[in-house]
């Protein structure tokens, strides 16, 4: 008899905990990706996002900039893992850029959604050497 009462109390507490974490709002992975994308674009040293072929075609056809390009979001309950694919600018210190991306994405997503960000994985897909070429051209003109 006592065990039944204890089990019922445990179930009540668990139900209250569920109500606290699940407030009836479902946030789409696309929304989280856009929030992360905006945070990434604010980091100095990021040349562009590295998206797949399909994302590039969609961007060209629609004429709109896709802020979720190059970002993969995996959400399980109230936790999320985010993968960011970027191209860095030539001359930028890659570990510093990656660290800044991790901090900004984590803070932005947690502040705006209330979800817990477990991981922000930054994948460097390339280096934009256009800046290096422009700098060389300017030096040769002088």
């Amino acid at each position: 008899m006592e065990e039944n009462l204890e089990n019922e109390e445990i179930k009540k507490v668990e139900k209250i905990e569920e109500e606290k974490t699940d407030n009836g709002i479902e946030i789409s992975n696309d929304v989280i990706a856009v929030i992360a994308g905006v945070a990434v674009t604010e980091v100095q040293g990021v040349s562009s996002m590295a998206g797949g072929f399909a994302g590039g075609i969609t961007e060209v056809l629609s004429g709109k900039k896709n802020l979720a390009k190059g970002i993969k979001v995996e959400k399980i309950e109230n936790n999320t893992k985010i993968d960011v694919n970027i191209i860095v600018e030539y001359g930028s210190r890659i570990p510093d850029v990656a660290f800044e991306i991790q901090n900004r994405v984590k803070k932005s997503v947690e502040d705006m959604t209330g979800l817990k960000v477990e991981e922000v994985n930054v994948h460097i897909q390339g280096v934009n050497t256009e800046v290096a070429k422009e700098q060389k051209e300017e030096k040769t003109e002088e």
Side-chain angles (χ1 to χ4, degrees):
M1 186 78 165
E2 249 181 49
E3 281 184 25
N4 287 342
L5 289 174
E6 287 178 3
N7 287 339
E8 287 178 15
E9 289 297 317
I10 291 171
K11 287 179 184 178
K12 285 180 186 177
V13 170
E14 288 174 349
K15 187 171 183 169
I16 291 169
E17 287 297 319
E18 284 177 10
E19 288 173 4
K20 286 181 186 175
T21 57
D22 187 13
N23 54 9
I25 299 171
E26 182 66 29
I27 299 172
S28 167
N29 287 356
D30 292 340
V31 172
I32 297 167
V34 169
I35 293 168
V38 171
V40 170
T41 57
E42 294 173 348
V43 175
Q44 188 174 357
V46 175
S47 175
S48 63
M49 303 298 286
F53 179 73
I57 295 293
T58 305
E59 195 171 302
V60 169
L61 293 176
S62 70
K64 296 178 183 175
K65 188 173 183 181
N66 183 4
L67 293 172
K69 176 181 171 184
I71 298 178
K72 181 183 168 225
V73 176
E74 183 182 327
K75 185 175 69 165
I76 302 168
E77 294 179 11
N78 287 336
N79 298 321
T80 185
K81 295 177 183 179
I82 302 170
D83 288 297
V84 178
N85 297 292
I86 63 162
I87 298 172
V88 296
E89 290 191 10
Y90 180 82
S92 299
R93 186 164 152 65
I94 294 173
D96 293 344
V97 172
F99 182 73
E100 185 66 21
I101 288 170
Q102 288 174 325
N103 287 337
R104 286 197 187 200
V105 167
K106 184 177 188 327
K107 184 177 181 349
S108 294
V109 171
E110 286 182 348
D111 288 351
M112 292 177 136
T113 65
L115 297 171
K116 174 145 176 43
V117 177
E118 290 181 346
E119 295 177 11
V120 177
N121 301 308
V122 180
H123 306 278
I124 311 300
Q125 300 295 324
V127 177
N128 182 4
T129 56
E130 297 288 322
V131 176
K133 287 179 187 176
E134 289 173 10
Q135 289 175 352
K136 280 185 181 179
E137 289 173 5
E138 287 176 7
K139 287 181 182 178
T140 55
E141 290 174 4
E142 294 174 358

